[in-house]
Amino acid sequence: FTETGNQEIGFIASTQLAQNIPFAIKRVFWTFGTPAGVMRGQHANKATEEVLVAAAGSITVETDNGKSKQTFVLDNPGVGLYLPAMCWTDLHFAPGTIAVCITSTDFDESDYIRDYPTFQRLVAHLAM
């Protein structure tokens, strides 16, 4: 992201000149009002790449690419997490969180893998 501003007036984060986003942006969506205790994500995408940002609040992101699992905490609206295709994510939202997701494709339900055992089989097959 490109970030401008200062503590006296505040900040603006923008995707303009976003050399760090490794894809052409096709869609931007945001998630808000997630009740406490609800886990979101719980899927992988076959082709879609994403950058996830906690615009407000915080998100604990658990990732699994079939080789390793990692956990990230997003709590700075000037920082995004790149999620490549074929990366399973589980998202835990703090109350009041607003998440912005920037994607490389338009929404297509057939791109989603919503069953974890199926994801595991597919990534094992890709590793061969």
Side-chain angles (χ1 to χ4, degrees):
F1 298 116
T2 305
E3 188 176 295
T4 61
N6 58 53
Q7 294 208 287
E8 287 82 39
I9 63 167
F11 298 89
I12 296 172
S14 170
T15 57
Q16 183 176 347
L17 306 174
Q19 298 91 345
N20 293 329
I21 296 181
F23 54 81
I25 298 168
K26 289 285 277 185
R27 177 171 66 121
V28 177
F29 66 92
W30 46 100
T31 304
F32 58 95
T34 302
V38 171
M39 183 170 33
R40 296 196 59 107
Q42 298 182 287
H43 70 272
N45 294 95
K46 296 172 190 170
T48 301
E49 299 171 84
E50 302 176 329
V51 171
L52 181 64
V53 178
S58 69
I59 310 163
T60 299
V61 183
E62 297 171 355
T63 65
D64 179 354
N65 66 7
K67 297 177 187 152
S68 65
K69 295 181 180 185
Q70 289 184 278
T71 300
F72 303 89
V73 175
L74 298 175
D75 58 4
N76 177 340
V79 175
L81 176 64
Y82 172 68
L83 299 168
M86 294 305 292
C87 181
W88 187 271
T89 58
D90 291 327
L91 309 175
H92 305 271
F93 287 63
T97 295
I98 299 171
V100 174
C101 191
I102 302 164
T103 72
S104 64
T105 64
D106 288 325
F107 177 80
D108 180 353
E109 182 61 38
S110 67
D111 185 51
Y112 284 70
I113 304 164
R114 297 186 186 274
D115 177 68
Y116 187 69
T118 299
F119 166 75
Q120 290 177 306
R121 280 194 309 277
L122 288 170
V123 293
H125 178 72
L126 291 173
M128 296 178 152

